[in-house]
Amino acid sequence: QLTMSLNSSTLLNEEKSQGPKRTSECLESLELQTPSSFQDNPLRQLQLASQEVLEKAKKSGRSKCPQCSSSRMFYCYTCFVPVETVPTKEIPTVKLPLKIDIIKHPNETDGKSTAVHAKLLAPDDVTIYKYPCIPEYKEKRHEIALVFPGPNSVSVKDIAFHLQKYSKKGVCDKDDDCCREPLLKQAKIEPKEEENLNECISNNRGEGTRLKKIIFIDSTWNQTNKIITDERLQGLLQIELKTRKTCFWRHQKGKPDTYLSTIEAIYYFLVDYHQEILKENYKGQYDNLLFFFSFMYTLIKNAKCCAGKE
């Protein structure tokens, strides 16, 4: 359920091709229909900016990247910019409550990754790194978390409580393994000190916690081990998204439908963070992160329906 761009493809006719096609290439042969042509679109409730610019770009076909001049559909997935037929001013910009680092596996196909959507739509708050070139996080792990499932992962609502151990002096000094033990067991906190700590945690929750950056991994599930075991990521608080279901058209066969594409994981994490940590009503503030994703979903879904795939 997490941040991976899952690699098994279900694009129209892709099963019969000699090799996987890139999303932008496959989309060229599809005819766009009205989203209301089918009723089971789980993204239909999103509050999105007008996608008319994408509809026009689809009809006109591939266009040049203004930076590298490569032929692309909608956006350049290597330069992280819209193509010439998609004016930047017509693309929504999303302001995020914290910074996001995306660590991309070097073998992840650029054209299949949804990580670029986040960079396009929240350019001031998102940075994409290609592994192994990633930052050192150890010194600031009291304000950083990693979205990745595992036995030690916690839910979004518990972020404030678990981050507190990193800022509590002496609780998690140089011992990376301490992050795997319950807070009170690690610190051996006296009853009175525990009461003060809980009060501090409660106050932090009201202030949005100390969390300043969240990390996502952009990779196929089979390639994650090398990144997640990197020493630079050890000791970070891990967050798991357990209740969301993917709409990704490349969902990997044999994997649970709670395994999300990268942009889905980013979006759903922020929605949960907004409600559980910031304690504010969610009113669609981050919906436009799915601006490209929802358009492609509708495009592919309709084409598959017309072809009798579903």
Side-chain angles (χ1 to χ4, degrees):
Q1 53 192 338
L2 167 60
T3 72
M4 309 303 152
S5 287
L6 306 178
N7 219 12
S8 65
S9 300
T10 55
L11 283 171
L12 182 63
N13 293 330
E14 194 164 278
E15 306 91 348
K16 300 179 181 179
S17 63
Q18 295 301 314
K21 297 180 181 178
R22 292 183 175 180
T23 302
S24 57
E25 294 172 343
C26 294
L27 290 178
E28 288 186 76
S29 63
L30 306 181
E31 291 296 329
L32 179 62
Q33 296 183 7
T34 307
S36 59
S37 61
F38 62 96
Q39 299 300 318
D40 60 338
N41 182 355
L43 306 176
R44 65 182 180 276
Q45 302 294 338
L46 295 174
Q47 300 179 44
L48 300 173
S50 172
Q51 295 176 321
E52 183 179 358
V53 61
L54 300 182
E55 295 176 5
K56 290 180 179 178
K58 172 63 187 69
K59 293 177 181 178
S60 61
R62 294 165 72 91
S63 180
K64 286 185 178 181
C65 167
Q67 293 188 13
C68 68
S69 297
S70 297
S71 178
R72 301 281 190 257
M73 179 65 74
F74 304 133
Y75 55 81
C76 180
Y77 41 73
T78 52
C79 299
F80 309 143
V81 295
V83 295
E84 293 177 346
T85 55
V86 181
T88 302
K89 64 180 180 179
E90 295 187 42
I91 299 300
T93 300
V94 184
K95 181 61 181 175
L96 307 184
L98 37 68
K99 299 298 183 181
I100 289 178
D101 281 2
I102 300 174
I103 301 176
K104 183 178 179 297
H105 194 283
N107 294 335
E108 176 68 5
T109 304
D110 291 338
K112 290 183 175 180
S113 171
T114 62
V116 63
H117 297 181
K119 182 62 178 176
L120 283 162
L121 298 163
D124 295 335
D125 297 317
V126 175
T127 303
I128 298 178
Y129 297 94
K130 181 170 286 190
Y131 187 82
C133 299
I134 65 174
E136 294 285 348
Y137 294 110
K138 186 174 182 180
E139 295 302 318
K140 293 189 176 182
R141 61 184 180 182
H142 60 284
E143 58 187 34
I144 298 175
L146 168 67
V147 175
F148 196 89
N152 303 308
S153 298
V154 303
S155 64
V156 173
K157 68 179 180 179
D158 293 326
I159 288 176
F161 181 83
H162 288 276
L163 274 184
Q164 193 66 28
K165 64 190 170 190
Y166 297 118
S167 58
K168 183 69 177 176
K169 185 177 180 180
V171 172
C172 197
D173 189 12
K174 294 183 179 180
D175 183 8
D176 286 345
D177 291 334
C178 72
C179 66
R180 299 188 178 93
E181 299 296 331
L183 175 62
L184 300 183
K185 180 178 178 181
Q186 296 163 22
K188 297 181 180 179
I189 301 173
E190 297 299 325
K192 186 175 181 180
E193 186 179 1
E194 178 182 343
E195 181 179 345
N196 293 334
L197 179 57
N198 287 334
E199 181 180 353
C200 180
I201 291 172
S202 178
N203 290 336
N204 271 352
R205 276 183 175 150
E207 296 170 3
T209 79
R210 294 174 59 89
L211 185 64
K212 294 182 180 179
K213 179 176 289 186
I214 189 75
I215 303 169
F216 294 84
I217 296 175
D218 186 53
S219 169
T220 62
W221 285 97
N222 293 334
Q223 296 173 336
T224 59
N225 188 62
K226 187 174 184 179
I227 295 179
I228 196 61
T229 57
D230 190 288
E231 62 179 7
R232 290 167 291 184
L233 298 181
Q234 302 311 300
L236 292 176
L237 177 65
Q238 287 185 206
I239 311 298
E240 185 169 3
L241 307 175
K242 299 180 180 180
T243 62
R244 312 293 190 171
K245 294 184 178 181
T246 186
C247 293
F248 197 31
W249 47 92
R250 286 197 181 94
H251 182 68
Q252 192 171 17
K253 292 181 179 179
K255 299 296 183 181
D257 57 7
T258 51
Y259 279 20
L260 307 174
S261 66
T262 304
I263 193 62
E264 288 177 299
I266 292 173
Y267 169 72
Y268 287 125
F269 169 83
L270 290 171
V271 172
D272 289 348
Y273 180 85
H274 193 87
Q275 297 173 317
E276 299 287 350
I277 303 299
L278 301 184
K279 300 296 183 181
E280 298 179 9
N281 292 330
Y282 183 68
K283 299 180 179 179
Q285 291 91 332
Y286 315 122
D287 283 10
N288 275 320
L289 285 175
L290 299 180
F291 181 76
F292 291 104
F293 184 89
S294 64
F295 184 84
M296 293 177 179
Y297 174 89
T298 299
L299 192 66
I300 295 168
K301 181 76 172 181
N302 280 332
K304 289 172 68 176
C305 286
C306 287
K309 293 285 182 179
E310 296 186 357

